[in-house]
Amino acid sequence: MLEQILRGLQQGQMMGVPHRSIQLISEFSGSFRVNSMAFAGFDKYNTGGKIILPASALTLLSDIAAASSGPMLFRIANPRNSLKTHCGVIEFNAEEGHCYLPGWMLRQLLLDEGQAVTISGVSLPKGKFVKFQPQDPAFLEISNPRAVLEYVLREYTAMTVGDILSISYNRRLYDIKVMDLRPAQAVSLFNTDVQVDFAPPPGMDENGQYIGAGAPRKPTPPATATAGRAVTPPPTSSTPPPAPAKAMVRTLGGQAKPVDAAEVAAFLGHSPSPPPAAAEKAPSPAPSTPSDFSWGAGVSLHGRAYVGPAKPAATATTTTPGAATPPAPAAGMPTPAPSASPAAAP
């Protein structure tokens, strides 16, 4: 153990950590290589607000730790971009020359694994008020989010305005942004009563309604006529209706002539019946019965199309005086051929 402490003191001196005992926390300052808690195998500390320092740091802070009854607070700064946050310490068993940070701190400071950071001791005022903003609306679906935050805050000893903390609840991670702190931009949360307030998540108002680009789109109401503005009628199909079917007849001169339904109706002197509606079922045709004539098309002597009744050829019959008239055939039965009458006696 003694060899580890001596080696830590030598490593700390090389990294810029003072190798003498200090009396004030503000005198502590050093440069360390940073690693995430998950990378170092400390997953249980990956969502808190405390870091792990090497044993050499404990040796330097031993006098302060013995004289103080509260936690030691530190400022972590990225020398590349001047981003900073504040935290506490939970253990002193990191590899010498390294420090282990929660994952959200690396993201907050834009740090890479193994990058050098500056850690300095600080004294912060006790916090009185903190305002959080959940980054995910799903956090509001928790039965009691205020109680969850108050319980999770025990893992944090310091906070800075602008920090986006990572909170684990019910096997799920939630990001919470620190919107406001009082009485300073960085405060201590140790042994103090803090009033907690909430801001709505991004894209939502105070009533929990979505606003701006995150709001669900409402259906567009149908266009209505208004004073001083004409309503554009809906577009109609540009496909022309199909041309009416035509029948071809041939004149006496041998020329073919088309005949459509309009010409047939004009010739007969009435209008053709409109076609049945598409939605309605067309009535079934009536059963056919024998009639004396049927409609057909022909050609007149003047070469014009003729549509009219075409009577069947009459059958010549001879009636013998005094002979009985045969009964009429039943409907649908063929008419029997007439029998020849006997020759008259000379």
Side-chain angles (χ1 to χ4, degrees), residues 63-300:
D63 292 342
I64 298 178
S68 175
S69 59
M72 292 177 286
L73 304 177
F74 302 91
R75 178 189 296 114
I76 305 177
N78 185 349
R80 296 183 180 180
N81 51 28
S82 301
L83 294 176
K84 60 185 178 181
T85 187
H86 298 80
C87 63
V89 60
I90 191 171
E91 290 183 5
F92 290 89
N93 57 355
E95 182 182 354
E96 290 301 329
H98 292 254
C99 65
Y100 304 151
L101 275 63
W104 69 265
M105 287 189 184
L106 272 74
R107 295 190 297 269
Q108 182 70 25
L109 303 179
L110 303 180
L111 293 171
D112 298 326
E113 296 283 349
Q115 183 178 337
V117 295
T118 302
I119 300 180
S120 306
V122 293
S123 296
L124 299 176
K126 291 186 177 182
K128 300 298 182 182
F129 172 82
V130 57
K131 186 174 185 178
F132 294 109
Q133 182 190 43
Q135 301 299 291
D136 187 356
F139 183 78
L140 302 180
E141 299 177 2
I142 300 177
S143 58
N144 194 346
R146 186 180 300 272
V148 172
L149 272 180
E150 292 177 353
Y151 176 80
V152 173
L153 286 180
R154 301 175 184 178
E155 301 179 2
Y156 294 82
T157 54
M159 281 189 180
T160 309
V161 173
D163 284 349
I164 299 181
L165 315 178
S166 183
I167 293 178
S168 177
Y169 177 76
N170 198 17
R171 298 182 180 181
R172 180 172 177 177
L173 293 178
Y174 298 93
D175 290 338
I176 307 294
K177 185 176 182 179
V178 181
M179 298 291 293
D180 189 18
L181 289 171
R182 298 175 189 171
Q185 295 294 302
V187 298
S188 171
L189 300 179
F190 177 76
N191 196 19
T192 181
D193 294 331
V194 180
Q195 180 182 357
V196 178
D197 194 10
F198 285 92
M204 297 184 67
D205 58 13
E206 296 291 343
N207 299 324
Q209 302 296 327
Y210 287 95
I211 58 177
R217 296 184 177 180
K218 298 181 180 180
T220 304
T224 56
T226 57
R229 185 178 63 180
V231 178
T232 304
T236 57
S237 176
S238 59
T239 305
K246 293 186 178 183
M248 301 299 293
V249 298
R250 190 171 299 277
T251 63
L252 293 178
Q255 298 179 352
K257 180 179 180 181
V259 180
D260 56 11
E263 296 180 2
V264 175
F267 181 83
L268 296 178
H270 63 82
S271 301
S273 58
E280 300 179 358
K281 185 178 179 181
S284 57
S288 60
T289 56
S291 57
D292 295 338
F293 61 91
S294 60
W295 291 94
V299 180
S300 66

